[in-house]
Amino acid sequence: MKVLVTGGTGYIGSHTVVELIEQGYEPVIIDNLSNSKIKVLDGIKAISDIKPRFEKFDICDIESLDKFFENNRDIKAIIHFAAFKAVGESVEKPLLYYYNNLVSLMNLLRAMKKYNIANIIFSSSCTVYGDTEELPVTENSPVLPAQSPYGNTKQIAEEILSDHAASHKDFNSISLRYFNPIGAHPSAHIGELPIGEPENLVPYITQTGIGIRKELQVFGNNYNTPDGTAIRDYLHVVDLAKAHVVALKRLIDRSNKRNYEVFNLGTGKGVSVLEMIESFNRVSGLSLNYKIVDRRPGDVEKIWADTSYSAKELRWETESSLDEAIKTAWDWEKRLAKEK
Ligand code: NAD
Ligand code: UD1
């Protein structure tokens, strides 16, 4: 079965493509390579023995998208990863984010209608819960005002999907609210490839460990948490990728309860920044150089998932431990260093 994966050469997309191939699906990738590299396809081939079909264009370009669907009438489902995701950049360039993240989604929804494609999985984020007071957060926790234009694009996208689903009974959609994906494929053939200085914690840690960065800055140690640093729910990207295959099966089998559903994808455990550093030190045998600095504006204090609904409905739970996930991130960083 052919599945379109937008953003399929990106971090989460590439790991999902591998899992799709493993489960017998035929992923077809569209990516404009704005935040990924074509050589990711070689990494996928090294793992799966199959180089997936790839087309390079911007899905905001409706004519190219139309041509694509004209030539690919047998696509049964879409997994839509393509978006911009840098929170800080979205504050500086909000229109870029609203345009790219929302026009791409609307182009896909219109094409789905025109070409009779029923199923779509959308990459949402725990950022929709904002600075929540309810912990852990369930899928029914309130969606609080977005902390950034990026976060707002996820909230608006979810509303677009929900409204579209309400008016189109034959349309089937799932939003997956990811908590913090980390790590790489255990083969170290694919992983996270931040362009420039990483914004996210784990690539910053591994780049500091390997010597690309001098030290990690820990953003704040005066939060109301046991060690004072902020808490997140970090899940292995391979576990996250597998959840997409489960959600896809749910849509295709029509075992979904409603034609728009939302699931949290996390481990259910909160981990502090200092605990992340301890995990890295255990796994690498190093002692990471870090210093405490001021809080990063816009950061929430703590958030982790209530995973009971996804465990019950999707029968999906994370399998990897934190140390296992960090080890794969470290193996990937070491491989990148060797290739240089
Ligand atoms: P990524 O940047 O690695 O992958 C996104 C891919 O989409 C990139 O390869 C990029 O080149 C492509 N792309 C962007 N805009 C495009 C367009 N208009 N047309 C075609 N291709 C386009 O990001 P990721 O970490 O793999 O994230 C995937 C999705 O998951 C995004 O929607 C992101 O917002 C969401 N998400 C990510 C995280 C995270 O921590 N990584 C957390 C929550 C949600
Ligand atoms: C952010 C977004 C999330 C988005 C994700 C992917 C928010 C609230 N969340 O997640 O929506 O999907 O990025 O881009 O905006 N940290 C340091 N030093 C660093 C980097 C990070 O101490 O150099 C800390 C942060 O303060 C935070 C934790 O590490 O407490 C995780 O940060 P990060 O990896 O950037 O993810 P989020 O901010 O949780």
Side-chain angles (χ1 to χ4, degrees), residues 12-171:
I12 307 169
S14 56
H15 290 83
T16 303
V17 165
V18 165
E19 296 305 317
L20 286 168
I21 295 172
E22 211 149 274
Q23 294 295 315
Y25 293 93
E26 187 187 339
V28 179
I29 298 174
I30 302 176
D31 200 300
N32 63 358
L33 301 180
S34 56
N35 198 37
S36 57
K37 300 243 157 63
I38 190 75
K39 69 169 191 225
V40 170
L41 298 176
D42 298 330
I44 295 172
K45 171 132 198 307
I47 299 167
S48 313
D49 234 15
I50 288 176
K51 197 163 183 172
R53 257 193 53 213
F54 169 81
E55 295 208 18
K56 182 183 171 208
F57 66 89
D58 188 327
I59 43 177
C60 294
D61 169 3
I62 189 99
E63 278 164 25
S64 298
L65 197 61
D66 217 45
K67 205 163 98 201
F68 171 84
F69 283 113
E70 283 290 346
N71 295 331
N72 292 276
R73 294 259 177 187
D74 47 353
I75 284 188
K76 293 280 176 288
I78 300 173
I79 308 183
H80 178 38
F81 293 104
F84 291 154
K85 63 164 181 178
V87 175
E89 187 185 47
S90 81
V91 176
E92 281 152 33
K93 301 174 184 165
L95 287 188
L96 184 71
Y97 274 68
Y98 285 114
Y99 187 85
N100 193 53
N101 293 4
L102 296 175
V103 172
S104 56
L105 174 66
M106 284 188 290
N107 280 353
L108 284 174
L109 295 180
R110 287 159 78 183
M112 287 172 77
K113 194 170 169 174
K114 186 164 167 193
Y115 296 97
N116 265 323
I117 301 165
N119 307 307
I120 185 166
I121 295 172
F122 174 70
S123 298
S124 189
S125 165
C126 68
T127 194
V128 301
Y129 299 114
D131 206 354
T132 181
E133 278 175 13
E134 269 179 34
L135 284 167
V137 281
T138 75
E139 288 79 354
N140 294 323
S141 296
V143 166
L144 296 180
Q147 308 271 313
S148 68
Y150 165 76
N152 208 16
T153 68
K154 295 298 178 193
Q155 295 192 356
I156 297 169
E158 286 199 6
E159 285 174 0
I160 292 171
L161 285 165
S162 164
D163 289 348
H164 188 65
S167 64
H168 291 76
K169 294 295 162 223
D170 51 348
F171 173 77

Side-chain angles (χ1 to χ4, degrees), residues 228-246:
T229 63
I231 290 179
R232 298 287 184 275
D233 182 337
Y234 297 93
L235 77 160
H236 193 316
V237 68
V238 173
D239 284 332
L240 177 61
K242 287 181 178 161
H244 291 77
V245 183
V246 175

Side-chain angles (χ1 to χ4, degrees), residues 85 125 127 150 180 200-201 217 219 230 232 234 296 299:
K85 63 164 181 178
S125 165
T127 194
Y150 165 76
N180 289 53
N200 295 113
L201 180 62
Q217 299 193 329
F219 298 137
R232 298 287 184 275
Y234 297 93
R296 180 170 68 176
D299 266 349

